[in-house]
Amino acid sequence: MTTDTAARTTDTKTVRRPHAWIWAALAGIVSAAALLAIAELFAALVARSASPVLAVGSFIVDIVPRPLKELAITLFGETDKIALLVGVGLGAAVAAAVAGILQYRFRPVGAVLLGIGGALATAAIITRAGAGALAWLPPVLGTVGGVVVLILTIARLKRWVAAAEERDIEGLRAGRRQFLLLTGLTAVGAVVVGVGSRILNATTSSVAAARDALRLPAPRTTITVPEGANWEIDGLSPIITPNGDFYRVDTALTVPNVDPTTWRLQIEGMVDTPVELSFDDLVNMGLNEYGVTLTCVSNEVGGNLVGNAIWTGVPIRDVLRMAGVQADADMVLSESVDGYTASTPLSALTDDNLDAIFAVAMNGEPLPFEHGFPVRMVVPGLYGYVSATKWVTKLTVTRFDKDEAYWTPRGYAAEAPIKLSSRVDTPKIGTPVPAGTVVIAGMAWAQPVGVQKVEVQIDNGDWQETQLSTPINDQSWVQWRLEWTAEAGSHYIAVRATDKEGNLQIQEQAPIAPDGSSGWQRTLVTVSS
């Protein structure tokens, strides 16, 4: 009698009911991880673009309202895509945890919910531009695998909980062991397979090798940076922006890998003769170098979403001339390999005085992948969202009243010339400078006519004309500088530019939408004694 009582006491202390909802949530997350891992594995094998996370992320990019897009760029800059992917991952984890709990409480609701998630991911994948015939297979197989894992793990969790309620020590231990073993092995396998598949997807691509092996014909004309064009002043941007420092803003969550040997450019729409060119066809038309500054419409007053490079390419007007543009056309809708579109005024592409080009090289090397390899558009004087299509693969000659591009229905202007702008690079806000002679310096751009002068105002004093660097051309930005005898205290520095047609930079503040920010930058500088 005493022995039986002791045994029951031991059993009572040993048998603890698990926190079922926590383990169920974990089972849901692990099941979703299995779904993604299986999908990534088969994507690497049969359809490289069929990644559920990337497809859903791209879908979110497309549907997010304009103010949220602008906020993301303001907060995260060029890391906005990483922030989006992290957000998608966290959202998926929460949804998966809910699916696990529902599967435990209301079987089979959780499995159905996970299946719906997989179906939505499949829809996002197969509706993306460039989706292949087998793009549906990875997400479908991943969904099936994830649902099976969820059903099996929750079934083992229920056995564990039931054994605990019945104070069945052996059943409890077996149920717990089976649940933890299945969940743990699945989690480890999902990480190894998922990460490995994504790495395999990237490293097995031959496009990087093709870019490294690419030898472009020597340009017929070159750009020489004139003496006095680039001042080496601490904090001042260089006149030529290095490729690694050039801003990147686009809608692609992952950089498209386009093989130049299979790339084709189609010219269609309101043309006499549709044209299709290979990469070799394009470069064999003859390459030239062009110095052009690019600006993103999301660039705030004083912002850094602007850069200048030496681009090598072929005039777009020469290609359009081959097709024979019809007289009543007024717009060209350019399309990227990933489905992005931009609406460019036809006149900007056919003007003999504007160097609108299909660029194949940037600062002396083939285009970096993130900047449009193998071919992108570069159009002076227009914000990038209406002109600078990366990974370009098609031009449709059309009219503004017939077609619209990606950003137009999202609240941006269909036509968007770059506004005359200037900014202060140094001194920087929050960095005190010593009293005495201080060099104030920055950048100014006025495409396509060029900068005539830049003026600086200290506090509320008179406007003082600055010294300009020697311009490369009118389509590139210039540096400016002014020596200032700084006295201790806080001071405001304002800057404004005037272009070669006598137009003064707009003083009125305007937001990014619908056609770019405006206003004079006014910087607070602290001078120490």
Side-chain angles (χ1 to χ4, degrees), residues 164-337:
E165 291 174 344
E166 296 171 1
R167 303 192 183 283
D168 178 0
I169 298 298
E170 292 302 320
L172 179 145
R173 290 172 180 171
R176 179 174 58 197
R177 181 173 60 252
Q178 292 173 4
F179 173 80
L180 294 178
L181 186 63
L182 178 59
T183 305
L185 290 177
T186 302
V188 172
V191 171
V192 172
V193 173
V195 174
S197 298
R198 182 107 300 266
I199 294 174
L200 176 66
N201 199 328
T203 57
T204 56
S205 172
S206 62
V207 178
R211 180 183 179 276
D212 292 340
L214 185 62
R215 297 295 179 266
L216 295 171
R220 298 172 299 184
T221 61
T222 59
I223 293 291
T224 300
V225 178
E227 185 177 351
N230 188 63
W231 295 325
E232 295 185 0
I233 298 174
D234 188 30
L236 178 63
S237 299
I239 201 69
I240 301 297
T241 309
N243 290 357
D245 297 335
F246 209 96
Y247 77 92
R248 178 197 167 196
V249 176
D250 52 55
T251 61
L253 278 182
T254 56
V255 177
N257 286 336
V258 184
D259 190 334
T261 62
T262 60
W263 175 87
R264 294 294 184 272
L265 175 67
Q266 295 178 316
I267 311 295
E268 59 183 35
M270 300 172 66
V271 296
D272 297 331
T273 306
V275 171
E276 181 174 293
L277 299 177
S278 68
F279 185 79
D280 287 341
D281 291 335
L282 182 68
V283 300
N284 288 337
M285 292 178 65
L287 302 177
N288 295 296
E289 286 188 346
Y290 305 87
V292 180
T293 296
L294 296 185
T295 308
C296 179
V297 72
S298 297
N299 194 47
E300 298 276 7
V301 173
N304 59 3
L305 298 180
V306 55
N308 189 56
I310 304 299
W311 309 92
T312 305
V314 175
I316 296 175
R317 58 178 173 268
D318 292 351
V319 178
L320 291 175
R321 193 176 294 121
M322 295 171 62
V325 175
Q326 296 175 4
D328 53 344
D330 64 4
M331 186 261 275
V332 172
L333 192 72
S334 56
E335 185 172 337
S336 167
V337 69

Side-chain angles (χ1 to χ4, degrees), residues 462-479:
D462 295 334
W463 287 96
Q464 305 175 58
E465 187 168 345
T466 69
Q467 179 186 0
L468 298 183
S469 66
T470 304
I472 294 177
N473 55 39
D474 290 338
Q475 297 174 2
S476 296
W477 63 5
V478 294
Q479 298 172 330

Side-chain angles (χ1 to χ4, degrees), residues 87-118:
V88 170
L90 291 175
V94 171
V98 171
I101 295 171
L102 290 176
Q103 180 67 13
Y104 178 79
R105 296 291 303 274
F106 308 106
R107 188 172 50 182
V109 174
V112 172
L113 180 60
L114 190 62
I116 291 173

